[in-house]
Amino acid sequence: MAQADEARRLQVNGIVQGVGFRPFVYQLAARYGLKGEVANTSAGVSIHIEGPVESLLSFEKDLTETPPPLAHIVEVKSQTQALQHFADFRIAPSRGEAVMATLISPDVAVCDDCLREMFDPRDRRFGYPFINCTNCGPRYTIIDDIPYDRPKTSMRHFAMCALCRAEYDDPLNRRFHAQPNACPVCGPQVGLLDGRRREIRTPDPIKAAADLIRQGRILAVKGLGGYHLAADAGNSEAVARLRQRKLREEKPFAVMSPDLAAIRGYAVVAREEEALLSGIQRPIVLLKKVHPSPLAEEVAPRNQYIGAMLPYTPLHHLLLRQGFPALVMTSGNRSEEPIAIDNQDAFERLADIADAFLVHDRDIYLRSDDSVVRRAAGATRFLRRSRGYVPVPVFLRQALPPILACGAELKSTVCITRADQAFISQHIGDLENLPTYEFFRQTIGHMQRILDVQPGIIACDQHPDYLSTRWADEQKDLPKVRVQHHHAHVVSCMAEHRLEGTVIGLSCDGTGYGSDGTVWGGEVLIADAAGFERAAHLAYVPMPGGAAAIREPWRMAVSYLDDAYGEGFDGLDLPVLREVGSEKANVIRAMIAKRINSPLTSSLGRLFDGVAAIAGLRSRVSYEGQAAMELEMAARADAVDLYEYGVDGDGPWRVLPAPIVRGVVADVRNECPVSMISVKFHNTVIALLADLCERVRRAHGLTRVVLSGGVFQNARLLAGLIPALEARGFEVFAHRLVPTNDGGIALGQAVVAAALSK
Ligand code: ZN
Ligand code: ZN
Ligand code: FE
């Protein structure tokens, strides 16, 4: 006897619109011979389905387990319904209510089906650099309003030809409702311009661009979220010239290679890294270099790592196929400015850098830099979360009121909450110049529009001079919550792990405005979402020259040495002091003694800098965190030795750096290699942080430890500290969804503001 039919209503929430979800449901229903309908609604996708129970169950299982590549299902609610005796299965028009609260997909890499077509000489899109389908291509960067329909995207300037239109209208086609659908007849076109913006006439602009790169020229290449500057990564002269023109001394450049085999020519690629490189988000992945390397040393000087990525737009694939094992592909900007997106803007800002421009006429509405990740301590960690990931929200433990959090200053991002979703913006950059500030404001407006959120509360940092704080102050009609920097770090990590209650927060970074007006950064907090108590911190030392001490770690070396030796300083004979000269060192010591322009700091980042300088690694840096990073990379040996450290006070405890500094000095004098000094210093930091956690546990009974702050970008520290704490019975939480640096801080600000405004 045939099974009786039943009916169900399925409500699917998440990223389920504009990602081919309805055709997927249609085909799934056809596979199991089910009847009913599917429609987009304001909450996601609604399905009415009827047929034999067995088939309904299989349908539901496949729906949740094998969704289309761009879909991100958050929840499927299933309810039994009365049979409506549908004759077939159909895709119903979108429901009248606004399709607003839905989620927009990030921009993702071109899919294999599209690539196959692009490289097939018989296909009508053969060699077409803007091929895409429902499963791939641009999204977030081409939208300027919702709902996500072609007229709200930069594709509105291109009317589909009859063939494209037919694909777009056919529920069984891979391009059904693919908003950026296009072909060589009706879609965007690529063009090549010389340095004076004159069109270079050629039947194949991409091949002509490749020829220029091969001759050592620098090309501005318009991509998905902005312009790249491209150069031949094997050509020392070209890369050096790019550095010179871009005013970027040493900060590493990322490279793009045609395939994994090419990347293996210059880097070690583990299995997890292979998956990251080839995933649809296509981030830059930090990989260990191999020696000797076919890449020019100038690509990532004095660095054991190289940031590599695979092509993600069809145009990249066509360019890389021209025979380059690797191209430098760095953000199309001058140092410290946002990446150029507009053709006119690119011409003006990149005129002195690029020899030619490979452009196209599909506008980018919102710039989005490449994301950067690395594997550390057994998981993927974000250094920069941007293209490919934004605007996928972090799903919170509970719904929050609508809040706009303005982030900090460096590696700025903002965060907007909508119910239980926290949307962290793409990377905005260091908020230290007008163009970046403009981009910050533009991002806030854009996100409010596409998320359809009017924030009722603004959260910001306590630092009075951050441009983000100043912007918050200017928003007169909204209540403001100023969140302490290191508290925000800890709560950010709590939020992504959905932790409630009170935790031990290790909040370690370079700089953050402390509640007492000093510069914090080596903090052990007892924290919950609403507040914190400072349980321990590094003892204060002066930062002679303020910000200058960040650029010139030798100043921190003098400060720590002065702290450790006092009068005995004069008898010290160290490479760093010889390099600096006694005159300059004495000026600094006088500044410290008289407290001239020498704010106090408890920063662990500065201690890394100071130790790097004393160990003779580097006394000046050309980008933030460089000395600390080089100290991390110097650690090669494995050893258990460590330096002594001291702890005094009881509430809060103070960790004394002087014994550590004396230990490092003794090793330098005994000509102990830097690699060993680095190992011992890392071991010391791990031991002292674990020790402090033990003390807090004894006093307060807390067993959950949350790690946040830029210092935890250090893979050696993270990989050592997590097991050290777990071995002592702590439960440890480190960032996985947002960066541990200031790029993740807006999330914490939002959650703190919500807790305080309850
Ligand atoms: Zn595709
Ligand atoms: Zn067409
Ligand atoms: Fe920070």
Side-chain angles (χ1 to χ4, degrees):
M1 197 181 91
Q3 250 183 341
D5 282 1
E6 278 190 17
R8 301 243 170 112
R9 174 158 301 278
L10 305 179
Q11 185 61 50
V12 190
N13 299 330
I15 302 179
V16 289
Q17 295 184 7
V19 294
F21 204 81
R22 287 172 302 164
F24 156 72
V25 170
Y26 181 95
Q27 286 165 39
L28 206 56
R31 184 183 318 157
Y32 292 109
L34 298 168
K35 311 270 160 52
E37 64 175 9
V38 57
N40 280 343
T41 70
S42 59
V45 163
S46 173
I47 306 164
H48 177 93
I49 192 95
E50 37 188 70
V53 178
E54 284 287 281
S55 308
L56 289 179
L57 289 175
S58 306
F59 174 89
E60 276 194 58
K61 186 166 182 289
D62 287 4
L63 183 86
T64 47
E65 288 176 5
T66 59
L70 293 196
H72 181 98
I73 297 179
V74 177
E75 185 186 38
V76 180
K77 281 188 219 148
S78 173
Q79 262 182 329
T80 308
Q81 292 268 302
L83 279 171
Q84 291 181 33
H85 304 288
F86 277 82
D88 54 10
F89 192 90
R90 61 173 184 246
I91 296 180
S94 299
R95 297 279 151 78
E97 69 257 46
V99 186
M100 287 295 178
T102 178
L103 296 170
I104 290 161
S105 161
D107 307 281
V108 294
V110 56
C111 73
D112 289 343
D113 290 331
C114 285
L115 279 182
R116 214 169 295 126
E117 291 169 353
M118 186 174 73
F119 288 119
D120 177 359
R122 291 158 309 175
D123 194 276
R124 70 188 188 94
R125 292 188 178 88
F126 175 61
Y128 183 56
F130 304 95
I131 189 169
N132 68 84
C133 73
T134 329
N135 299 325
C136 72
R139 295 286 185 282
Y140 181 62
T141 51
I142 59 165
I143 297 172
D144 68 355
D145 205 347
I146 48 169
Y148 173 59
D149 274 326
R150 192 160 171 124
K152 300 291 170 66
T153 72
S154 59
M155 288 303 293
R156 62 175 157 240
H157 306 298
F158 304 94
M160 274 185 277
C161 67
L163 287 175
C164 286
R165 184 85 228 178
E167 295 167 338
Y168 182 90
D169 288 334
D170 174 6
L172 289 180
N173 194 284
R174 206 172 86 245
R175 298 194 166 89
F176 176 66
H177 282 202
Q179 307 303 349
N181 190 26
C183 76
V185 174
C186 66
Q189 302 294 334
V190 69
L192 185 63
L193 308 178
D194 69 13
R196 297 163 73 183
R197 299 174 220 171
R198 288 172 310 206
E199 192 177 344
I200 300 176
R201 292 199 181 276
T202 158
D204 190 345
I206 295 176
K207 184 176 174 301
D211 290 340
L212 288 173
I213 294 174
R214 218 171 281 117
Q215 291 161 22
R217 305 294 171 80
I218 295 164
L219 256 83
V221 178
K222 188 171 179 180
L224 194 54
Y227 271 83
H228 280 121
L229 289 162
D232 180 353
N235 182 336
S236 282
E237 259 172 68
V239 182
R241 195 157 48 238
L242 176 56
R243 284 207 174 277
Q244 218 172 29
R245 292 187 190 168
K246 205 173 132 96
L247 307 175
R248 179 149 144 167
E249 256 172 82
E250 287 179 310
K251 198 172 178 182
F253 284 144
V255 294
M256 182 182 277
S257 288
D259 49 37
L260 287 167
I263 295 181
R264 287 210 168 84
Y266 54 83
V268 185
V269 186
R271 199 164 38 84
E272 296 86 355
E273 291 161 340
E274 191 178 309
L276 275 172
L277 283 164
S278 30
I280 56 172
Q281 297 88 356
R282 294 288 152 103
I284 295 169
V285 183
L286 279 197
L287 302 167
K288 193 106 183 159
K289 277 185 188 169
V290 295
H291 295 283
S293 165
L295 301 188
E297 173 62 18
E298 290 82 357
V299 173
R302 293 178 58 136
N303 207 307
Q304 289 172 36
Y305 291 84
I306 177 87
M309 62 183 148
L310 290 173
Y312 52 88
T313 68
L315 192 152
H316 292 153
H317 281 275
L318 294 168
L319 183 61
L320 270 293
R321 283 261 173 140
Q322 299 286 329
F324 299 104
L327 289 181
V328 166
M329 286 291 258
T330 186
S331 323
N333 57 2
R334 289 170 189 284
S335 256
E336 319 305 336
E337 282 186 6
I339 181 169
I341 53 172
D342 186 50
N343 290 357
Q344 199 50 44
D345 180 40
F347 296 148
E348 281 161 21
R349 286 166 58 204
L350 305 179
D352 301 340
I353 307 179
D355 298 309
F357 296 82
L358 185 59
V359 301
H360 62 72
D361 53 358
R362 186 180 69 201
D363 291 338
I364 300 167
Y365 284 156
L366 197 64
R367 61 169 63 75
S368 200
D369 287 77
D370 295 318
S371 293
V372 187
V373 300
R374 95 188 275 194
R375 293 286 301 179
T380 301
R381 318 282 175 181
F382 281 99
L383 300 174
R384 178 197 292 165
R385 182 182 182 273
S386 208
R387 178 194 46 78
Y389 299 94
V390 173
V392 176
V394 172
F395 294 94
L396 304 169
R397 214 170 174 285
Q398 60 203 32
L400 305 185
I403 293 169
L404 164 63
C406 302
E409 180 173 62
L410 299 181
K411 302 181 170 71
S412 162
T413 63
V414 299
C415 174
I416 290 183
T417 56
R418 185 175 75 185
D420 62 348
Q421 299 162 356
F423 297 87
I424 296 136
S425 73
Q426 77 282 14
H427 170 79
I428 296 170
D430 296 348
L431 269 183
E432 296 173 321
N433 55 58
L434 200 59
T436 312
Y437 180 62
E438 279 307 316
F439 180 32
F440 164 83
R441 299 199 329 184
Q442 186 198 357
T443 300
I444 290 173
H446 191 265
M447 282 182 74
Q448 291 184 3
R449 204 159 54 241
I450 63 163
L451 297 171
D452 194 29
V453 173
Q454 268 316 314
I457 302 168
I458 295 186
C460 64
D461 199 273
Q462 285 179 347
H463 199 304
D465 298 332
Y466 282 179
L467 285 179
S468 54
T469 309
R470 291 207 192 148
W471 181 86
D473 283 340
E474 285 165 18
Q475 314 310 304
K476 297 289 180 213
D477 37 351
L478 289 176
K480 253 82 70 187
V481 180
R482 290 169 174 262
V483 183
Q484 200 282 322
H485 188 95
H486 300 95
H487 182 213
H489 268 307
V490 171
V491 176
S492 167
C493 190
M494 290 175 74
E496 67 165 74
H497 289 283
R498 299 163 155 238
L499 300 182
E500 248 200 342
T502 308
V503 300
I504 303 172
L506 300 185
S507 200
C508 300
D509 66 0
T511 307
Y513 192 80
S515 311
D516 58 1
T518 65
V519 182
W520 290 11
E523 314 301 314
V524 181
L525 308 181
I526 297 170
D528 62 16
F532 70 94
E533 181 193 322
R534 203 177 182 200
H537 61 88
L538 287 191
Y540 290 124
V541 298
M543 262 170 88
I550 299 174
R551 291 188 300 269
E552 300 181 350
W554 67 266
R555 290 170 182 254
M556 287 314 299
V558 170
S559 181
Y560 284 114
L561 291 168
D562 185 74
D563 172 68
Y565 291 91
E567 290 308 306
F569 186 101
D570 293 321
L572 289 172
D573 179 27
L574 291 167
V576 63
L577 297 178
R578 283 198 294 270
E579 187 193 327
V580 169
S582 58
E583 208 170 310
K584 272 167 102 180
N586 286 334
V587 171
I588 295 301
R589 289 183 70 210
M591 280 173 75
I592 293 170
K594 294 180 189 151
R595 288 294 188 86
I596 300 167
N597 189 18
S598 297
L600 293 177
T601 186
S602 58
S603 160
L604 182 56
R606 292 293 85 77
L607 183 58
F608 269 89
D609 283 358
V611 168
I614 295 169
L617 258 179
R618 154 175 301 282
S619 52
R620 280 176 186 77
V621 297
S622 62
Y623 60 93
E624 190 225 355
Q626 186 181 13
M629 207 181 73
E630 288 181 2
L631 186 62
E632 173 193 348
M633 292 189 301
R636 249 157 270 173
D638 260 318
V640 292
D641 306 60
L642 43 82
Y643 298 113
E644 255 176 66
Y645 59 90
V647 179
D648 78 359
D650 53 355
W653 288 294
R654 297 185 320 143
V655 178
L656 307 176
I660 303 174
V661 170
R662 285 193 287 263
V664 174
V665 168
D667 275 350
V668 172
R669 281 178 174 158
N670 292 331
E671 285 171 18
C672 172
V674 178
S675 59
M676 182 53 79
I677 294 176
S678 172
V679 170
K680 287 171 73 176
F681 178 67
H682 280 85
N683 291 347
T684 310
V685 173
I686 291 164
L688 77 85
L689 290 175
D691 174 3
L692 295 172
C693 288
E694 293 259 23
R695 288 168 189 248
V696 178
R697 177 166 61 187
R698 273 199 300 274
H700 301 270
L702 299 170
T703 57
R704 293 181 302 173
V705 181
V706 166
L707 312 181
S708 191
V711 165
F712 293 111
Q713 292 172 114
N714 183 322
R716 187 178 187 94
L717 177 63
L718 201 62
L721 182 60
I722 293 175
L725 286 168
E726 285 174 345
R728 289 169 163 85
F730 289 101
E731 222 186 324
V732 188
F733 302 89
H735 284 280
R736 285 171 187 236
L737 300 181
V738 303
T740 192
N741 57 43
D742 285 4
I745 210 164
L747 172 63
Q749 291 176 343
V751 176
V752 172
L756 287 176
S757 62
K758 246 185 210 155

XYZ file of all heavy atoms in Angstrom, residues 12-49:
282
model
N 13.485 28.648 6.132
C 14.949 28.586 6.163
C 15.523 29.986 6.357
O 15.230 30.896 5.584
C 15.504 27.986 4.844
C 16.993 27.706 4.969
C 14.745 26.723 4.483
N 16.344 30.139 7.394
C 16.976 31.442 7.661
C 18.479 31.367 7.427
O 19.083 30.329 7.626
C 16.755 31.865 9.114
C 15.298 32.012 9.432
O 14.497 32.348 8.563
N 14.940 31.712 10.671
N 19.051 32.508 7.061
C 20.493 32.573 6.838
C 20.762 33.283 5.533
O 19.955 34.079 5.071
N 21.932 32.998 4.920
C 22.220 33.569 3.608
C 21.610 32.625 2.581
O 22.205 31.618 2.211
C 23.730 33.735 3.392
C 24.310 34.629 4.491
C 24.030 34.320 2.015
C 25.799 34.855 4.391
N 20.377 32.922 2.180
C 19.650 32.009 1.305
C 19.027 32.723 0.109
O 18.294 32.114 -0.658
C 18.545 31.238 2.088
C 19.172 30.222 3.022
C 17.658 32.195 2.875
N 19.340 34.013 -0.039
C 18.833 34.723 -1.214
C 19.989 35.200 -2.078
O 21.030 35.603 -1.557
C 17.970 35.917 -0.776
C 16.705 35.458 -0.058
C 15.782 36.597 0.305
O 16.006 37.737 -0.087
N 14.743 36.280 1.048
N 19.795 35.140 -3.385
C 20.855 35.558 -4.301
C 21.987 34.551 -4.355
O 23.092 34.864 -4.767
N 21.722 33.340 -3.898
C 22.768 32.315 -3.896
C 22.284 31.027 -4.563
O 22.842 29.960 -4.368
C 23.256 32.000 -2.458
C 23.954 33.209 -1.860
C 22.100 31.554 -1.565
N 21.202 31.120 -5.351
C 20.703 29.941 -6.058
C 19.939 28.971 -5.178
O 19.891 27.778 -5.454
N 19.345 29.490 -4.116
C 18.693 28.591 -3.175
C 17.364 28.059 -3.713
O 17.062 26.874 -3.581
C 18.473 29.293 -1.830
C 18.364 28.329 -0.684
C 19.494 27.786 -0.107
C 17.126 27.934 -0.194
C 19.414 26.881 0.936
C 17.029 27.023 0.848
C 18.180 26.502 1.414
N 16.574 28.929 -4.349
C 15.274 28.469 -4.844
C 15.415 27.434 -5.957
O 14.763 26.387 -5.894
C 14.417 29.669 -5.264
C 13.894 30.470 -4.057
C 13.222 31.748 -4.476
N 14.139 32.583 -5.255
C 13.754 33.604 -6.009
N 12.479 33.893 -6.105
N 14.647 34.315 -6.657
N 16.303 27.638 -6.968
C 16.497 26.577 -7.961
C 16.992 25.274 -7.329
O 16.612 24.183 -7.746
C 17.560 27.152 -8.902
C 17.586 28.602 -8.663
C 17.006 28.870 -7.319
N 17.822 25.409 -6.300
C 18.319 24.224 -5.594
C 17.149 23.460 -4.965
O 17.031 22.241 -5.085
C 19.351 24.674 -4.547
C 19.543 23.738 -3.389
C 20.213 22.523 -3.554
C 19.079 24.070 -2.120
C 20.404 21.667 -2.474
C 19.259 23.223 -1.040
C 19.915 22.010 -1.216
N 16.238 24.210 -4.333
C 15.065 23.586 -3.713
C 14.187 22.951 -4.797
O 13.703 21.821 -4.643
C 14.262 24.635 -2.907
C 12.917 24.069 -2.468
C 15.061 25.106 -1.693
N 14.034 23.648 -5.889
C 13.222 23.181 -7.018
C 13.753 21.834 -7.522
O 12.995 20.884 -7.716
C 13.284 24.244 -8.120
C 12.488 23.970 -9.359
C 11.200 24.485 -9.511
C 13.022 23.211 -10.402
C 10.465 24.254 -10.666
C 12.299 22.970 -11.555
C 11.021 23.498 -11.688
O 10.311 23.266 -12.836
N 15.071 21.780 -7.708
C 15.657 20.546 -8.235
C 15.598 19.415 -7.223
O 15.431 18.248 -7.581
C 17.106 20.805 -8.674
C 17.135 21.599 -9.975
C 18.495 22.195 -10.280
O 19.523 21.578 -10.051
N 18.504 23.406 -10.800
N 15.726 19.765 -5.946
C 15.646 18.762 -4.885
C 14.235 18.164 -4.834
O 14.056 16.946 -4.696
C 15.992 19.441 -3.556
C 16.573 18.576 -2.446
C 17.826 17.853 -2.923
C 16.899 19.470 -1.247
N 13.224 19.021 -4.964
C 11.835 18.554 -4.955
C 11.602 17.624 -6.144
O 10.953 16.578 -6.017
C 10.883 19.742 -5.009
N 12.178 18.017 -7.303
C 12.014 17.187 -8.492
C 12.646 15.818 -8.268
O 12.084 14.788 -8.640
C 12.653 17.887 -9.700
N 13.817 15.785 -7.624
C 14.520 14.518 -7.402
C 13.666 13.553 -6.588
O 13.643 12.364 -6.829
C 15.847 14.765 -6.687
C 16.650 13.482 -6.523
C 17.948 13.670 -5.761
N 18.667 14.874 -6.147
C 19.546 15.493 -5.368
N 19.806 15.025 -4.160
N 20.153 16.584 -5.779
N 12.942 14.078 -5.581
C 12.150 13.204 -4.725
C 10.673 13.169 -5.128
O 9.841 12.640 -4.400
C 12.294 13.632 -3.254
C 13.685 13.371 -2.735
C 14.556 14.410 -2.470
C 14.135 12.054 -2.541
C 15.840 14.171 -2.015
C 15.422 11.799 -2.079
C 16.271 12.863 -1.829
O 17.532 12.611 -1.382
N 10.336 13.755 -6.269
C 8.961 13.735 -6.768
C 7.980 14.432 -5.847
O 6.837 13.990 -5.693
N 8.409 15.530 -5.213
C 7.548 16.229 -4.261
C 6.868 17.420 -4.919
O 7.353 17.982 -5.892
C 8.377 16.701 -3.057
C 9.025 15.563 -2.250
C 10.060 16.092 -1.274
C 7.945 14.768 -1.520
N 5.728 17.821 -4.366
C 4.951 18.939 -4.903
C 4.962 20.091 -3.905
O 5.194 19.879 -2.715
C 3.495 18.494 -5.139
C 3.365 17.185 -5.897
C 3.296 17.434 -7.377
C 3.646 16.247 -8.245
N 2.971 15.000 -7.994
N 4.621 21.301 -4.387
C 4.539 22.436 -3.471
C 5.119 23.689 -4.074
O 5.089 23.879 -5.294
N 5.695 24.563 -3.241
C 6.271 25.801 -3.769
C 7.340 26.352 -2.842
O 7.412 26.016 -1.664
C 5.183 26.856 -4.005
C 4.494 27.312 -2.737
C 3.494 28.442 -2.998
O 3.229 28.740 -4.173
O 2.999 29.006 -2.019
N 8.174 27.226 -3.419
C 9.225 27.888 -2.655
C 9.170 29.375 -2.976
O 8.880 29.756 -4.109
C 10.614 27.297 -2.978
C 10.946 27.383 -4.457
C 11.717 27.997 -2.167
N 9.430 30.212 -1.949
C 9.405 31.662 -2.170
C 10.394 32.357 -1.243
O 10.672 31.882 -0.142
C 7.998 32.207 -1.916
N 10.944 33.491 -1.713
C 11.729 34.373 -0.841
C 10.769 35.152 0.037
O 9.747 35.640 -0.442
C 12.531 35.380 -1.676
C 13.786 34.760 -2.246
O 14.234 33.700 -1.798
N 14.366 35.427 -3.226
N 11.094 35.288 1.317
C 10.292 36.118 2.207
C 11.228 37.061 2.949
O 12.443 36.993 2.780
C 9.541 35.262 3.249
O 10.515 34.734 4.154
C 8.780 34.137 2.599
N 10.647 37.892 3.801
C 11.493 38.843 4.529
C 12.438 38.114 5.475
O 13.477 38.636 5.847
C 10.622 39.814 5.313
O 9.817 39.097 6.210
N 12.086 36.910 5.878
C 12.915 36.201 6.852
C 13.868 35.206 6.212
O 14.667 34.580 6.887
C 12.024 35.489 7.865
N 13.776 35.010 4.908
C 14.645 34.032 4.266
C 13.924 33.341 3.131
O 13.456 33.982 2.204
N 13.822 32.008 3.214
C 13.118 31.258 2.187
C 12.056 30.403 2.856
O 12.297 29.779 3.884
C 14.107 30.374 1.386
C 13.374 29.291 0.610
C 14.939 31.239 0.443
N 10.853 30.399 2.262
C 9.765 29.604 2.803
C 9.407 28.513 1.790
O 9.277 28.788 0.597
C 8.566 30.520 3.069
O 7.459 29.734 3.441
N 9.278 27.268 2.271
C 8.988 26.147 1.377
C 7.725 25.440 1.866
O 7.620 25.115 3.050
C 10.149 25.123 1.382
C 11.484 25.810 1.063
C 9.874 23.975 0.416
C 12.705 24.976 1.410
N 6.783 25.221 0.959
C 5.676 24.318 1.261
C 5.932 23.065 0.446
O 6.153 23.129 -0.765
C 4.332 24.943 0.884
C 3.175 24.005 1.130
N 2.471 23.998 2.303
C 2.647 23.019 0.358
C 1.544 23.055 2.255
N 1.626 22.433 1.076
N 5.919 21.911 1.105
C 6.305 20.696 0.403
C 5.363 19.573 0.809
O 4.998 19.447 1.968
C 7.775 20.362 0.744
C 8.345 19.291 -0.169
C 7.984 19.981 2.179
C 9.081 19.868 -1.325
